[in-house]
Amino acid sequence: VVLHIIEKTEGENVDWRHERKDDLFLKGQSRRIWGEFFKVIDCSDVVLHIIDARNVPGTRCKMVERHIRDNASHKHLIFVLNKVDLVPNWVAKRWMGELAKDRPTIAFHASLTHAFGKGALINILRQFGKLHEDKKQISVGVVGYPNVGKSSVINTLISKKSCNVAPIPGETKIWQYVTLFKRISLIDCPGVVVDTAGDTETDSVLKGVVRAERLEDPETFIDAIIATVRREHLAGQYKLDKEEGKWETANELMETIAKKCGRLLKGGEPCLRSAAIMLINDYQRGRLPHFVAPPELKDSEDGGGKQETGAAAASVNAGKEEEINVDEQDLDQLVPESNM
């Protein structure tokens, strides 16, 4: 008997295909994590899709949108644009306008002391609670890529540290219920990496999916960081003077940073690996400003200080459309306009 093995080229299982990357770059794609992810989706009445404002196209999971649209259209999906404090206001406003075309969208800055968007998000969750008055309790699933701030959003909403958080991917291992109000519970989910977009290893590192310390050759990813971050931001972060800021190549930059920070090998040679890990960590954690530019919007869509965030976005519930009002958010109150 001859068995013919047919390779799948499309469908759900392709999201964890193993032929291209080594195990390090398969984080967030295991069947266990996908199982946790779909359990969260199945148990939720409302799904909060957390998106990193610095890289909206790279952290927006279209598969989640398609899955809810095709298999669970009775569930409500909300976009939460997190880390808006790390990008200029105009970038956040334009991405808000772009995302709000498809789903209700909330701009958010997760913080226990100076949060932004918390009131708007709680208000929309209360509205969804009223839509489901027939239920004793509604569940709100929180999903997204690793390191986009899912647990931080939950901790901000409940005003205390309930979920473990860390500036590294993979801190959340299993899903967990957290009570927000008497009738509303939040579900934290491990970060899921959807590989169907064909991300390169560099994309995975820059998104924060992979921990820098575990990379075999972190130096190879520095060229991509230099291409994304302005020279003056690099010089400012590492306190490089005018002469030190004249580096031409990635190796020269790493040598300068290693000497400046005392990362030296025997004989006084600069440790390029340590400098590279420092650069990657600072990039992932927001110390090196960067963002993916939003698509150009028409003037009529890119209004002044206040941004319409999908107010009156339609939500389908039990075969009928209900109006969900999303509060206007004034992003100018968050931080002064950046010079990025």
Side-chain angles (χ1 to χ4, degrees):
V1 178
V2 179
L3 296 178
H4 296 280
I5 299 175
I6 301 175
E7 284 280 328
K8 285 191 67 175
T9 57
E10 59 184 8
E12 297 293 337
N13 287 342
V14 178
D15 291 328
W16 55 69
R17 63 182 184 271
H18 287 195
E19 75 277 12
R20 188 167 54 84
K21 300 180 181 178
D22 60 35
D23 288 343
L24 181 64
F25 291 92
L26 295 173
K27 299 300 182 185
Q29 299 179 57
S30 70
R31 283 174 169 79
R32 180 190 69 79
I33 287 182
W34 275 101
E36 297 285 323
F37 168 76
F38 282 114
K39 277 195 289 185
V40 170
I41 296 288
D42 291 342
C43 294
S44 302
D45 302 293
V46 180
V47 178
L48 301 183
H49 181 5
I50 313 299
I51 299 172
D52 191 331
R54 297 172 298 172
N55 186 358
V56 174
T59 56
R60 180 179 178 180
C61 183
K62 294 287 186 72
M63 190 279 295
V64 173
E65 300 172 48
R66 289 196 302 271
H67 176 75
I68 292 177
R69 183 193 65 211
D70 299 338
N71 305 306
S73 58
H74 59 287
K75 298 181 186 291
H76 311 284
L77 179 63
I78 305 172
F79 291 143
V80 178
L81 189 65
N82 195 25
K83 305 186 181 183
V84 291
D85 56 307
L86 299 181
V87 299
N89 289 350
W90 68 268
V91 173
K93 289 173 187 176
R94 289 190 179 180
W95 276 123
M96 289 288 291
E98 192 70 17
L99 293 172
K101 295 175 183 177
D102 300 321
R103 299 282 180 172
T105 305
I106 300 291
F108 205 85
H109 164 43
S111 170
L112 292 180
T113 53
H114 302 290
F116 180 84
K118 176 179 175 180
L121 185 52
I122 287 177
N123 180 45
I124 196 172
L125 292 179
R126 288 186 187 276
Q127 292 181 63
F128 282 123
K130 291 179 181 178
L131 289 181
H132 294 277
E133 287 185 338
D134 54 316
K135 294 188 175 184
K136 291 182 75 174
Q137 190 177 53
I138 68 166
S139 297
V140 180
V142 182
V143 302
Y145 269 76
N147 216 31
V148 294
K150 299 180 293 298
S151 298
S152 297
V153 168
I154 291 177
N155 290 340
T156 299
L157 289 176
I158 64 176
S159 300
K160 66 179 181 180
K161 184 177 178 181
S162 178
C163 300
N164 289 334
V165 296
I168 53 176
E171 180 65 21
T172 304
K173 301 293 189 297
I174 58 173
W175 69 324
Q176 52 186 323
Y177 264 97
V178 180
T179 300
L180 178 59
F181 301 118
K182 186 177 180 181
R183 290 191 61 249
I184 301 177
S185 291
L186 304 172
I187 312 175
D188 195 9
C189 174
V192 172
V193 178
V194 179
D195 202 33
T196 49
D199 285 350
T200 64
E201 292 183 355
T202 300
D203 293 331
S204 297
V205 171
L206 297 190
K207 282 184 190 180
V209 172
V210 180
R211 299 186 188 186
E213 293 80 5
R214 296 181 179 176
L215 293 169
E216 188 174 340
D217 297 304
E219 302 91 332
T220 60
F221 301 99
I222 303 307
D223 280 319
I225 291 178
I226 292 174
T228 311
V229 181
R230 287 185 178 181
R231 180 180 291 262
E232 57 265 32
H233 292 313
L234 287 164
Q237 172 63 25
Y238 301 109
K239 298 180 173 57
L240 306 181
D241 58 33
K242 195 170 183 181
E243 193 63 35
E244 293 170 331
K246 292 181 178 179
W247 43 267
E248 296 293 335
T249 66
N251 273 5
E252 288 180 16
L253 174 62
M254 286 186 284
E255 286 178 8
T256 302
I257 292 174
K259 292 175 182 176
K260 192 86 173 176
C261 300
R263 304 296 178 93
L264 304 175
L265 300 169
K266 286 183 180 179
E269 285 294 312
C271 179
L272 300 189
R273 177 179 173 81
S274 293
I277 290 173
M278 187 187 304
L279 276 159
I280 294 171
N281 281 334
D282 288 342
Y283 184 93
Q284 293 176 346
R285 298 173 189 182
R287 298 189 189 108
L288 295 175
H290 65 277
F291 60 87
V292 174
E296 292 296 325
L297 300 181
K298 296 177 183 176
D299 292 338
S300 60
E301 294 173 332
D302 188 23
K306 289 192 176 181
Q307 175 68 35
E308 291 287 340
T309 55
S315 165
V316 179
N317 178 46
K320 61 182 181 180
E321 290 192 353
E322 300 282 355
E323 292 277 316
I324 294 297
N325 294 312
V326 182
D327 294 343
E328 288 185 6
Q329 295 179 273
D330 188 356
L331 287 166
D332 292 330
Q333 294 180 357
L334 176 63
V335 285
E337 193 73 40
S338 172
N339 293 323
M340 288 174 64

